[in-house]
Amino acid sequence: MIAILSAILIVSGCIKKPEKPISPAFKVDVLNEGGTETFVFKISAGIQNENHDVALTDVKGFLHIIDGERRVLSVPYTLKAILPYELGVIDLEQKIAEKDLKPVLDLHKIDMADVRKNRGTEGVYLDEKNILLELSSYAKRDILDLLRERAAMKDAIVEKKKAAEKQKDAQK
Amino acid sequence: MKNVNDGKIYLAGGLVTIVAAVFLAVVSFYSILVVEPRVDRLLTEGEKLDRDGMDLKFREAYLVLRNPQLFAGYTHFDMEGVTVKNVLMYFDRKVYNGEYLEIMGRDYLQLLLRRRMKGSTLGRNTMVFMLVVSLAFWIAYAHERRSVA
């Protein structure tokens, strides 16, 4: 009986962790900054929170572009909060050295010379076998507790504003 | 032929169904008599107030509704229930961001209230069923006792 109850408690405390990124894609832009060629790597993906009553906050991790077991490129991301059923959007942009970009382009059979000629690439969808989502850290918050906390914060701000306005009126 | 005494089975059946009926009654009538009228009152009062007052009332109503009724949870949605999921996502984000809940939101909150009411109605009807089944067990038990005596 105790084992069954313990199992129920354990299962009910578990949450569904996002495992795969949704619609991952990248794009490259080539900029000319003061005569120097600069590559800008943009990556976007979604992280789905499938839980109905748990929000994921302070979500940190990496998007790894992989080729088999080898990590070709790792991009860190941070998301403040993914509420229940929400799709958290990772939309990052970073300057990248040619030597770091080349393996990513080679993986997708994109010629560097074409990238230079066209001043970048179109959006390239990443196949699920070439992308890995790593969730390094996150906090689980019960949605009701989180919403009550945010509501209390808002009320405090509104009260402060009203008090400030009253003071202004009194001074007039 | 050996006379089989099913008295214990009927007794167990009668007790289990009574306990189930009591549980269902507590859960369902708490919602019907306490929670649902409170939410309805908040929504009705809210629409008569100014922007700040309406926001407070609607937000309080949402926080009550965000905790689902036991038999109308927010985990599984049929075609009709998918709208509820979207409503939850919409209001969660609004309250999280500290945005004002306005009169347009009332209909969506009513949707959540109706889901809760469906759950409590289901619980109440199941309680009635359990009571009927319990009564059948008790009648059978009484009959068994008389036969044995």
Side-chain angles (χ1 to χ4, degrees):
Chain A
M1 182 65 166
I2 293 169
I4 293 167
L5 283 171
S6 307
I8 290 169
L9 273 169
I10 288 164
V11 166
S12 60
C14 288
I15 63 158
K16 290 177 209 165
K17 253 176 67 170
E19 285 173 354
K20 288 181 187 170
I22 310 289
S23 302
F26 75 86
K27 187 180 184 303
V28 178
D29 287 328
V30 181
L31 304 176
N32 201 328
E33 288 180 346
T36 314
E37 188 182 63
T38 309
F39 296 100
V40 177
F41 183 79
K42 299 175 183 180
I43 188 163
S44 65
I47 300 183
Q48 183 73 54
N49 181 359
E50 291 179 29
N51 301 285
H52 68 98
D53 60 352
V54 172
L56 305 176
T57 58
D58 299 319
V59 182
K60 289 177 183 157
F62 291 87
L63 280 172
H64 301 289
I65 297 177
I66 58 174
D67 181 10
E69 296 291 322
R70 189 173 63 97
R71 284 183 189 177
V72 173
L73 183 70
S74 296
V75 180
Y77 68 84
T78 306
L79 289 172
K80 196 176 167 201
I82 313 174
L83 302 182
Y85 293 127
E86 227 180 36
L87 184 73
V89 177
I90 299 170
D91 198 6
L92 300 165
E93 186 175 302
Q94 62 182 41
K95 288 183 183 168
I96 187 170
E98 186 180 340
K99 65 172 175 53
D100 296 323
L101 176 62
K102 197 164 183 321
V104 178
L105 299 178
D106 291 343
L107 183 62
H108 292 86
K109 297 178 177 45
I110 298 171
D111 189 9
M112 183 61 92
D114 287 338
V115 172
R116 284 196 163 94
K117 189 174 126 192
N118 299 322
R119 310 302 297 161
T121 66
E122 299 288 330
V124 179
Y125 282 103
L126 285 153
D127 194 86
E128 62 173 43
K129 67 177 192 295
N130 291 131
I131 185 95
L132 187 69
L133 174 70
E134 180 189 325
L135 267 173
S136 305
S137 67
Y138 60 91
K140 293 182 285 186
R141 295 290 310 275
D142 177 78
I143 185 63
L144 263 175
D145 290 342
L146 181 63
L147 292 181
R148 285 195 186 112
E149 191 182 288
R150 297 289 292 192
M153 272 168 62
K154 183 197 169 182
D155 290 342
I157 293 168
V158 168
E159 283 303 317
K160 255 188 184 173
K161 269 188 186 164
K162 282 184 178 169
E165 274 165 22
K166 264 189 184 167
Q167 223 179 4
K168 257 188 189 172
D169 291 338
Q171 280 168 359
K172 279 180 190 169
Chain B
M1 195 174 123
K2 193 179 173 185
N3 201 13
V4 176
N5 185 351
D6 293 326
K8 283 185 181 170
I9 297 171
Y10 296 140
L11 177 64
L15 287 171
V16 166
T17 44
I18 273 275
V19 167
V22 166
F23 171 74
L24 289 165
V26 167
V27 168
S28 304
F29 283 103
Y30 174 71
S31 185
I32 292 168
L33 298 174
V34 176
V35 180
E36 290 159 28
R38 181 179 165 209
V39 171
D40 195 47
R41 200 170 48 247
L42 285 166
L43 295 179
T44 310
E45 284 170 6
E47 42 177 41
K48 295 172 190 163
L49 298 172
D50 65 358
R51 192 185 186 212
D52 286 334
M54 184 186 294
D55 175 56
L56 274 172
K57 295 282 182 186
F58 281 10
R59 196 180 65 200
E60 198 183 328
Y62 179 66
L63 290 175
V64 172
L65 290 166
R66 192 55 177 88
N67 199 12
Q69 207 272 344
L70 192 62
F71 308 119
Y74 296 140
T75 45
H76 304 290
F77 297 100
D78 53 16
M79 271 184 69
E80 195 191 315
V82 159
T83 319
V84 168
K85 189 176 169 180
N86 294 334
V87 169
L88 293 174
M89 287 165 63
Y90 173 76
F91 278 101
D92 279 351
R93 189 38 75 174
K94 273 216 154 223
V95 174
Y96 181 82
N97 288 345
E99 292 169 25
Y100 277 91
L101 302 186
E102 287 159 344
I103 191 67
M104 288 184 310
R106 191 183 196 271
D107 289 341
Y108 297 115
L109 292 170
Q110 286 281 13
L111 194 76
L112 295 182
L113 179 59
R114 277 198 295 275
R115 185 175 174 92
R116 173 172 265 275
M117 287 163 81
K118 278 182 187 172
S120 58
T121 304
L122 174 67
R124 189 193 60 200
N125 295 348
T126 310
M127 175 208 73
V128 170
F129 172 74
M130 286 291 165
L131 286 173
V132 168
V133 170
S134 188
L135 184 65
F137 272 118
W138 287 113
I139 291 170
Y141 177 64
H143 182 263
E144 191 73 16
R145 285 282 303 255
R146 248 187 275 127
S147 322
V148 167

